Amino acid sequence: MVKKKTEKKSTNQILVELFMTQVGAITNVIDEQGEKIFVTDNLLNTDEIKDYSLEFMELLVNVLHAGEKINRRGMEYKALRRFFTEFSNQIQVRGGTLDEFIRYTQFLQKVFLEGLEHDAKLTFEESRSVLLLVAGIFNDISLDVFNVYLEEKERTIQAQQDELKQTSTPITEIWDGVLTLPIIGTLDSSRTVAVMENLLSRIEQDRARVVVMDITGVVAIDSQVSHHLIQMMRAICLMGARAILTGIRPEIARALTSLNINLGDVVTRSTLSEGLKEAFIYLGVETCTVEEKARQK
Amino acid sequence: MLTGMHLTAIGDNNMLLEPTDALDPSSPDDYVAELMEVLQKEEAQTLMYDLNQVPLIDQVYYNWLIRLNNLCRLANVELVIVNIRTTAAFSLAMSLKTAPPFKCSLDVDSARHGITASLQD
């Protein structure tokens, strides 16, 4: 009696066969779902979805053909992951969210698993191994996509923080040789460094003779903030410009006195407008209304 | 001629001091006496110290400036620091514990017109 020799198929082979027999149906379902998720939100057009589906299929087949087992360090697997990274990047650039992309990848996973149900020849063991393989691949993809979103989010937050730093301390030349620096919020070390660098460069560039620092927008002051203020005043003086501190609100004044901080010989004025007047006096500039000028004549 | 610096009378009893690379700020004693002699001879009223070629002012250099300021006070001369670089002003402001005793001016021209700044006014 001759025993029929049956070759045990690898999980990759099972998946490739499943894929080959149902490629048409799988592609159609993926396209359809892709349109539902991405086209309705104008993230991708139909042609792009078809291209992406096709590329995904090719890359997946390459991964499955690369060996009996999936080599997670292999070029084919890396290419598949890179494809999803770039795909998710594009979705994000066009205003898509992580939810949409994860929904899409979960759907892809579901399509493959549903394909298993239609294949009655598969044993429990084979179904289980295919399930594990597919879940493993899509877990990696989900992790990659999540990391891409996280990195992009961090980049956005950093960019916003940088922009906030720039816009929260606008240095403006309001008169020839007079710069104003309204400080809003709080002054920590990193912000002080950034503001001082900008301010000193502007003094040099604009040949400024007076800098009016307005702290009306400073919410609270502690010894560190006041120390930073003094450092800024000194830096301004070292550049040869005169520093005028304005907008010291009663709460700030109380904090400064309770902290026993001596601003030394810093010129202070109550408001920005008073500070500007002081700057004009220092520069020898006299301002008057048209009527006043006419009367003088 | 003084070593380590160029000292030029620029009119109106103003003198301009431009330090060269040969200046050793850690040895102020090498310059003080000779400098005093020149200031008195020229009847200087203001000494403008040009920091344009000095990228960074460390504690040694700052001590030299303080020493020079003390000398100027003895000679009844006003020391005005001019042309300080932004990098030097920044690092010095960050490290100073008290306000500098000398006056500062953006450039020689401003200093000549008496446009100076000081926290000691």
Side-chain angles (χ1 to χ4, degrees):
Chain A
M1 193 177 148
V2 183
K3 255 190 180 175
K4 200 178 175 186
K5 209 176 177 182
T6 51
E7 265 184 44
K8 203 185 171 194
K9 287 179 196 169
S10 74
T11 313
N12 283 14
Q13 274 177 303
I14 296 167
L15 203 56
V16 168
E17 279 174 17
L18 167 80
F19 191 67
M20 291 305 175
T21 51
Q22 299 180 28
V23 66
I26 290 174
T27 313
N28 285 340
V29 178
I30 290 176
D31 286 352
E32 208 175 288
Q33 187 66 16
E35 281 187 28
K36 269 189 200 164
I37 297 174
F38 299 122
V39 175
T40 44
D41 290 340
N42 282 329
L43 297 172
L44 294 174
N45 61 39
T46 314
D47 289 340
E48 282 174 319
I49 288 176
K50 282 191 195 307
D51 288 346
Y52 275 125
S53 301
L54 203 67
E55 198 177 342
F56 163 63
M57 301 288 196
E58 279 175 14
L59 289 167
L60 187 65
V61 171
N62 287 345
V63 169
L64 297 172
H65 275 306
E68 291 214 333
K69 280 187 173 179
I70 286 198
N71 177 11
R72 286 189 146 77
R73 289 180 181 172
M75 292 300 290
E76 295 81 8
Y77 197 69
K78 281 180 184 167
L80 181 68
R81 290 175 74 167
R82 196 165 49 244
F83 162 74
F84 273 98
T85 307
E86 284 164 9
F87 188 4
S88 66
N89 240 334
Q90 183 157 14
I91 294 296
Q92 201 176 11
V93 164
R94 293 183 184 185
T97 62
L98 180 64
D99 294 11
E100 282 156 340
F101 205 82
I102 292 292
R103 240 176 345 129
Y104 181 67
T105 51
Q106 279 174 346
F107 174 77
L108 293 178
Q109 192 174 350
K110 197 176 144 209
V111 169
F112 283 100
L113 297 180
E114 277 175 355
L116 284 177
E117 287 174 15
H118 302 299
D119 197 335
K121 287 178 222 161
L122 290 179
T123 64
F124 172 75
E125 281 297 314
E126 285 171 334
S127 298
R128 187 175 155 273
S129 60
V130 172
L131 177 70
L132 286 174
L133 179 75
V134 172
I137 293 173
F138 281 96
N139 276 348
D140 283 345
I141 289 169
S142 295
L143 268 176
D144 286 344
V145 170
F146 183 71
N147 282 332
V148 166
Y149 273 81
L150 215 60
E151 279 168 20
E152 190 57 37
K153 220 56 167 181
E154 278 171 8
R155 258 200 300 273
T156 309
I157 291 169
Q158 191 58 50
Q160 284 171 338
Q161 278 179 344
D162 291 346
E163 201 179 327
L164 199 67
K165 269 185 192 170
Q166 288 290 323
T167 51
S168 62
T169 45
I171 301 164
T172 319
E173 189 180 28
I174 51 165
W175 195 270
D176 284 347
V178 182
L179 296 178
T180 55
L181 170 66
I183 298 170
I184 297 156
T186 189
L187 264 182
D188 58 17
S189 298
S190 68
R191 194 171 169 209
T192 305
V193 168
V195 172
M196 266 170 75
E197 276 175 355
N198 282 341
L199 182 62
L200 299 185
S201 304
R202 282 297 296 271
I203 292 173
E204 191 182 41
Q205 179 193 320
D206 297 342
R207 317 304 293 166
R209 288 166 59 186
V210 185
V211 177
V212 185
M213 273 172 63
D214 185 66
I215 58 166
T216 314
V218 172
V219 188
I221 203 158
D222 56 15
S223 57
Q224 201 187 8
V225 173
S226 57
H227 180 62
H228 288 143
L229 273 176
I230 292 168
Q231 281 178 330
M232 285 172 77
M233 308 289 273
R234 280 191 191 144
I236 293 167
C237 287
L238 284 168
M239 289 298 294
R242 192 182 177 91
I244 300 171
L245 189 65
T246 66
I248 303 175
R249 290 181 292 115
E251 310 90 83
I252 300 291
R254 192 170 56 225
L256 284 172
T257 50
S258 67
L259 286 164
N260 212 11
I261 288 160
N262 180 16
L263 286 178
D265 298 308
V266 171
V267 180
T268 57
R269 289 293 178 268
S270 55
T271 60
L272 183 61
S273 116
E274 288 297 319
L276 191 57
K277 282 179 197 163
E278 175 63 27
F280 284 158
I281 292 168
Y282 178 68
L283 294 175
V285 175
E286 201 179 329
T287 55
C288 62
T289 61
V290 178
E291 287 87 15
E292 281 170 347
K293 199 176 176 185
R295 269 201 301 274
Q296 280 170 10
K297 279 181 181 173
Chain B
M1 188 190 156
L2 284 164
T3 50
M5 62 185 80
H6 296 298
L7 202 58
T8 323
I10 55 170
D12 297 328
N13 300 103
N14 294 318
M15 294 211 72
L16 179 65
L17 191 159
E18 294 164 292
T20 65
D21 291 341
L23 179 84
D24 180 9
S26 62
S27 310
D29 288 338
D30 296 352
Y31 312 102
V32 168
E34 223 175 333
L35 200 54
M36 181 77 160
E37 203 181 312
V38 178
L39 290 175
Q40 285 178 335
K41 190 179 151 198
E42 296 287 338
E43 295 178 351
Q45 286 176 2
T46 309
L47 176 66
M48 296 172 197
Y49 193 104
D50 193 336
L51 282 173
N52 191 34
Q53 298 302 317
V54 183
L56 202 74
I57 298 169
D58 58 8
Q59 195 57 48
V60 174
Y61 207 100
Y62 184 67
N63 289 343
W64 151 244
L65 292 176
I66 298 290
R67 188 79 186 269
L68 188 63
N69 185 62
N70 293 341
L71 171 80
C72 286
R73 287 177 72 172
L74 287 173
N76 196 28
V77 172
E78 187 175 53
L79 175 67
V80 181
I81 299 297
V82 297
N83 287 327
I84 190 168
R85 287 199 197 178
T86 54
T87 47
F90 180 88
S91 60
L92 189 57
M94 294 301 243
S95 63
L96 280 181
K97 293 203 167 44
T98 55
F102 41 77
K103 288 188 174 178
C104 303
S105 198
L106 201 58
D107 47 36
V108 174
D109 205 37
S110 301
R112 285 180 74 140
H113 288 92
I115 304 163
T116 57
S118 166
L119 283 173
Q120 302 274 317
D121 277 340

